[in-house]
Every structure is written in structure tokens, then in C-alpha cells.
Amino acid sequence: MRTVDAAGLAIGDDQPTRIMGVLNVSKESPYKPSVFDDPGAAAEYVDEALIGEGADIVDVGLESANKRLEVLSAEEELDRLDTAVDTIQSVSGDAVFSIETRYHEVAEAALDRGFDMVNDICGFADPEMPRVCEEYDVAVGKMASPPDLERPGAVEEVDDIYEALSMNGFTDKTIVDPAFGGWSESKTLENDRETFRRLREFRGYGRPILVSINRKNFLRDLAGRDTEAALPVSLAATAMAIERGAHVVRTHDVAETRDAALVGDAFTPDRLRDASAGVEELDARTPAEVQRHLNRLGAPADIDHAARAATRVFELSGLSERDRATLTAPPVGAGFAPGSETGTGVLYGTPAALRSVVREVDGSDRLRAALERIEDAL
């Protein structure tokens, strides 16, 4: 899992969960406490209710993404950018400032004027967006969407959501967002719940994950709560999302979400990660989760019985060809899938089988170091 640097803020497995607070300069936005058209009042809100309550990132929206509203053009978004820029220039606190947009022109103008990060709600439907983010060397949140600038998040099934994230590729600093919420008329609450159940699969891209689940319908409906009374279900889901792999949580309720994130961080199991030994434990617990990582590494398409029974999964790098050949016939109960890149692969199996690998496999010093670290982690 790569760590993304967002203007000096590290986002990844080895970091605390980052809290993204929300500011809107669009009068159409439904959550009125976060909506401002006066830069002074907006800056005061950011300092007190967002940064002051623990937000690491402030995401500034120029328009509402409500599917029932007309989509603003890039020019109309640019007309609202002055308020956003004046706001961040008036803030006294320290945070990473993210511009929420679907247009590369708006992203470029915002980055030129002081923003640090982009939150693309159309997932690179504008094919120039990754170029701009790469040229400015900024982190970018990429929300799963169709290749259509007017339909953000309008993907229903988990497999389709996963595939949509690959549209127009990734930058080195991309953070993936599986797009929770009612972004289309055909998307159901059960679609969101299934995406949440399978959230760990999105770690298969090897990139940090952003979730926006604050007071969302798929949670409110479970408890029969309206938006005003939905904070408790949001906080419960926040801690669960972090345990399932989320690295950034976008929220209107910063202080409370920060507390839930502290709980989630505290009870997320530690996983082995040793770059010097070329080994990283992958958080993969189901065959589908294992398969996502194998796909990323270009490993064989069909996982075997050992992968289906695996309880621990490790990505290896820096292996010699002899090491890889040795690992292709591991003891019963373990498996190894060589990656398409030289020296890479995935070792998986039950703890007992992996201990047998440690005892029985002979290899280079690099491989022995990785296996010893795996044995320590079992």
C-alpha cells in the first residue's frame, strides 16, 4: 500500500486516519451549516468548526453534486472560485485545502491560487484532470464514476464501481473513493451496503481509500433515523470503515468523527510492512480480496484452493528468479503467485502452512529475511 503525500500530510497505512472537513460556497448544497458566501464568515467556520475540531483536510465545494440539480459548467464554477480562494487566504489554522471539482480548468486555477489538493467527483471523466494533478504534483481524490461529467458516482454494483476507478488511470498520488451515496436514481441502499461490506476489496488498487459516509441514507435507514438524528450510525460506520481499510473520512461532523477515527485506528490490527526485507502483509480475508491484489500485480487470473483457504497474505518484492521458482511449489496449504513485474509475487496460506514455508524453503538472503519477518508476524 503506497503512502500519498498531500502537501506534507502523509496518507496511508502507517498514518492516523485523516479527517476531511467540508466547506461549501454553493447555496444549493443541502447541508446548510457548511454553506457560506462570505469569505470572512467561511474562514471563521473553517478555523473553529473544521480545523479547530481536528480536520486535517478542508474540502471546498463550488457546487452541489445533487443529481436533481443542473450541473454547473467549468466557467460557472470558476465564477465561484474567488470566494473559495478568499476564504482559504483568511484562515489562520493549518490544513490541507482540497478543491472539489470535475473540471481540469477549475482544478488548475485553484491550484494556481493556493489550493493543495483536488477532489474529483467524476473520477477523471475529464481526461485532462490526471495531467493537471501530475503537473502540479498534488494528491487527488478520485471518486468512482461513469465516463460522463454530468453523472458523478452513478455506478451501482461493486464490481462496476471497482472497475470504474481505473478509468483514465491513476496518478502517483491518487486516493480512491468508492462513491457512497444516492448519486443516481437506480442506485439502491443495498448497493451502498454491499459496497461497504466489500470495502476491503478496494485496497486491491494498493492506494489509500477515501470514504464519504457521513449521515448517508444507507446507514440512516438501518436505524430509522432522519438526517438530524443520524450522527450515531455515521460514527459506528466510521470506525468500521477504518478497520476495513479507509484512510480518509470526509465529514460534516469533524469532532465526533475524529473520536470515532481514534477508536477505529486503535482497534485496526497491525500488519507487517518491512521495505528492507521486501515484504508487506496485505489486508485480504476473502477470495475476492485476494484476487484484487493478484490482479494488481499481474499474477495468474485464477486463484487456487490455497488462496481460498488463506488467512494471511503477503506481497513480496526484490525476489530473484530462483526465489520465485522455489516458491511456486510451496508446502500444502500455501500458495505463491508470481507477479508480472520482475521480483514480485504474493505468498498466501494458513499460518501453519506458512510456517512450513519458512522451515522448508531455501532461497536468497532477501527471501530468507522476508520469510523470517513473516514467521515473526504469524
Side-chain angles (χ1 to χ4, degrees):
M1 175 67 65
R2 72 176 62 201
T3 296
V4 166
D5 182 321
L9 180 73
I11 300 171
D13 275 354
D14 296 334
Q15 308 299 324
T17 300
R18 304 306 185 180
I19 306 301
M20 175 183 275
V22 182
L23 173 73
N24 292 299
V25 295
S26 55
K27 61 181 181 296
E28 311 92 348
S29 295
Y31 190 75
K32 296 309 178 185
S34 72
V35 179
F36 295 86
D37 57 11
D38 175 71
E44 183 178 355
Y45 176 78
V46 170
D47 275 325
E48 294 180 0
L50 301 184
I51 298 174
E53 298 288 356
D56 305 289
I57 304 167
V58 175
D59 192 37
V60 183
L62 302 173
E63 66 168 308
S64 172
N66 190 312
K67 61 183 177 291
R68 296 179 180 84
L69 300 175
E70 291 293 324
V71 174
L72 296 186
S73 66
E75 291 73 19
E76 289 171 318
E77 280 199 6
L78 286 168
D79 287 341
R80 297 181 175 187
L81 187 59
D82 284 345
T83 301
V85 171
D86 290 346
T87 296
I88 69 171
Q89 291 177 344
S90 301
V91 170
S92 60
D94 185 26
V96 172
F97 288 96
S98 168
I99 187 71
E100 181 187 285
T101 185
R102 64 193 80 192
Y103 303 113
H104 79 276
E105 303 98 322
V106 178
E108 187 166 23
L111 294 171
D112 276 334
R113 299 180 65 184
F115 277 84
D116 306 300
M117 176 179 170
V118 176
N119 186 17
D120 184 352
I121 61 170
C122 280
F124 298 172
D126 179 344
E128 292 297 303
M129 183 67 86
R131 175 189 62 79
V132 167
C133 293
E134 285 178 333
E135 288 182 358
Y136 283 81
D137 191 30
V138 294
V140 53
K142 181 182 185 183
M143 193 174 83
S145 291
D148 184 341
L149 285 169
E150 296 193 358
R151 299 176 61 232
V155 189
E156 290 80 41
E157 300 295 334
V158 180
D159 290 338
D160 294 335
I161 293 169
Y162 192 93
E163 292 306 316
L165 281 166
S166 65
M167 177 178 63
N168 290 328
F170 301 99
T171 69
D172 286 342
K173 294 185 174 182
T174 298
I175 300 164
V176 297
D177 175 354
F180 289 102
W183 295 98
S184 66
E185 296 293 349
S186 56
K187 190 171 187 179
T188 67
L189 301 184
E190 186 52 38
N191 288 143
D192 271 341
R193 289 174 190 149
E194 184 65 13
T195 303
F196 192 85
R197 291 185 189 102
R198 295 172 59 182
L199 182 63
R200 199 173 275 107
E201 285 185 38
F202 291 88
R203 292 178 59 85
Y205 275 120
R207 300 170 183 278
I209 299 171
L210 184 157
V211 296
S212 181
I213 56 176
N214 188 232
R215 301 178 187 252
K216 289 291 174 73
N217 287 349
F218 80 100
L219 300 172
R220 288 169 19 208
D221 179 73
L222 290 172
R225 302 293 185 183
D226 61 15
T227 302
E228 293 301 314
L231 180 57
V233 292
S234 291
L235 301 181
T238 293
M240 293 175 67
I242 291 166
E243 194 276 334
R244 295 177 186 204
H247 301 90
V248 181
V249 179
R250 187 178 183 273
T251 181
H252 293 284
D253 303 296
V254 170
E256 297 88 345
T257 300
R258 177 182 174 276
D259 287 352
L262 291 172
V263 174
D265 285 339
F267 292 100
T268 296
D270 291 332
R271 290 181 294 274
L272 170 62
R273 186 175 185 178
D274 187 337
S276 64
V279 59
E280 177 182 353
E281 183 170 6
L282 303 177
D283 188 14
R285 309 181 187 186
T286 68
E289 291 163 9
V290 175
Q291 187 70 68
R292 299 296 192 191
H293 289 285
L294 295 180
N295 292 344
R296 168 173 57 88
L297 293 169
D302 295 323
I303 59 177
D304 59 20
H305 176 75
R308 295 185 181 280
T311 58
R312 305 294 286 271
V313 186
F314 298 88
E315 180 178 340
L316 304 178
S317 61
L319 300 175
S320 68
E321 284 307 305
R322 179 176 176 274
D323 288 336
R324 297 214 300 177
T326 299
L327 287 168
T328 54
V332 174
F336 177 76
S340 59
E341 292 188 12
T342 301
T344 64
V346 175
L347 178 66
Y348 46 82
T350 63
L354 291 171
R355 289 190 182 96
S356 294
V357 173
V358 175
R359 290 193 305 267
E360 298 175 22
V361 170
D362 184 27
S364 67
D365 290 344
R366 173 88 169 190
L367 176 56
R368 292 307 310 169
L371 293 177
E372 288 168 6
R373 294 291 288 117
I374 289 173
E375 183 176 35
D376 292 341
L378 294 176

